[in-house]
Amino acid sequence: MATVFIIGATGGVGRRLGPLLLQSGHTVIGLHRKPEQAGELAASGVAPVHGDIIEMDPKQIADAAKGADVIVFSAGAAGSGVDRTTAIDGDGPLKVIEAPQLLGISRLYLVSAFPEAGRQAEPVAKFEHYMSEKKRADVAVASSDLDWVILRPGLLLSDEGTGTATMGPAIINNSVARGTVARTLLALIEQPSVRREIVELTDGPTPIKEAVAALRQS
Ligand SMILES: NC(=O)c1ccc[n+]([C@@H]2O[C@H](COP(=O)([O-])OP(=O)(O)OC[C@H]3O[C@@H](n4cnc5c(N)ncnc54)[C@H](OP(=O)(O)O)[C@@H]3O)[C@@H](O)[C@H]2O)c1
């Protein structure tokens, strides 16, 4: 069983992932930036740790994650401003890369974005910035020595999903339920042989565990 530190534990994906991990017998530590979120996390069984990823340096991130063997980065600025997008979606993972080394662990799961997202629409500067910051983070994580998985979901929908999905190194762009993203993260965490892979993810017909097993490296 793993101890998983979730950055973004209170978000649409993170607040679904915590309970799924707990139900499967894992231990969960959740980073939250607003003091009032501690009670809700604790009530769900997630150990709350207070911190703002914009302010934290790698040592503080490592301190917050103490005891974890796995780190999940699912935080995001969520359109709250260009500078916050740079600081959270771009700089955040770059700082987080250093934490596993300080802790003597190696496993990092980064929730990124589908590269073709928004291609059908007229370009909007702040969305282009968001996508380039996501890519900047992907490049840094993929260049690290960690046992990383970069998960690139399509447009996120606020529903639970059906337990099925389509995933692979290159798939057709589509939307995906936040519940499906959370279940895919759970399945990936439970399949550590999938490592150093970029996985695109959309809603689809394949049972999630089966789809993750098909990614498994020999
Ligand atoms: N929206 C889409 O269609 C889409 C598509 C593909 C990928 N993604 C990516 O998928 C990931 C998960 O999405 P989501 O829907 O779960 O996002 P979300 O609901 O907006 O949650 C974002 C999380 O990040 C946390 N956060 C924000 N700023 C922070 C800070 N300064 N320090 C610490 N935590 C901070 C939030 O905390 P609070 O509760 O305090 O706000 C929340 O827990 C994000 O990385 C997002 O960019 C999104």
Side-chain angles (χ1 to χ4, degrees):
M1 289 298 146
T3 297
V4 181
F5 177 59
I6 305 177
I7 301 168
T10 58
V13 170
R15 70 168 171 267
R16 290 173 168 87
L17 177 60
L20 286 173
L21 285 161
L22 291 165
Q23 282 156 28
S24 299
H26 304 288
T27 302
V28 184
I29 307 165
L31 186 74
H32 64 97
R33 66 183 171 126
K34 298 173 196 144
E36 64 272 21
Q37 293 165 325
E40 202 181 323
L41 284 174
S44 74
V46 172
V49 182
H50 184 246
D52 186 319
I53 202 74
I54 296 177
E55 313 293 337
M56 295 167 91
D57 64 22
K59 165 84 169 56
Q60 290 168 318
I61 296 168
D63 286 346
K66 199 164 179 234
D69 1 81
V70 174
I71 298 178
V72 174
F73 187 100
S74 186
S80 58
V82 168
D83 290 348
R84 289 180 60 80
T85 299
T86 303
I88 298 167
D89 297 87
D91 294 341
L94 269 72
K95 292 190 279 188
V96 170
I97 287 169
E98 295 183 43
Q101 233 172 357
L102 294 167
L103 290 166
I105 62 172
S106 66
R107 298 176 64 197
L108 172 64
Y109 294 80
L110 173 66
V111 182
S112 181
F114 207 101
E116 284 76 39
R119 292 304 86 191
Q120 304 84 349
E122 280 296 313
V124 174
K126 68 179 183 187
F127 184 71
E128 296 303 308
H129 177 70
Y130 164 75
M131 291 301 287
S132 68
E133 288 301 300
K134 286 297 206 197
K135 187 60 185 282
R136 183 164 71 92
D138 287 4
V139 170
V141 168
S143 312
S144 77
D145 292 334
L146 298 175
D147 291 321
W148 51 266
V149 175
I150 295 170
L151 186 62
R152 291 178 169 169
L155 177 72
L156 296 182
L157 304 177
S158 285
D159 56 61
E160 302 316 312
T162 56
T164 65
T166 295
M167 66 187 81
I171 63 171
I172 299 295
N173 186 20
N174 200 352
S175 56
V176 59
R178 284 181 167 85
T180 298
V181 180
R183 279 186 244 188
T184 301
L185 285 165
L186 170 67
L188 285 166
I189 289 166
E190 291 187 335
Q191 189 60 261
S193 59
V194 180
R195 49 185 281 278
R196 302 183 69 80
E197 294 273 359
I198 293 175
V199 181
E200 297 182 355
L201 174 71
T202 66
D203 282 328
T206 310
I208 288 170
K209 273 192 181 169
E210 204 179 292
V212 166
L215 300 170
R216 192 172 48 211
Q217 292 188 330
S218 56

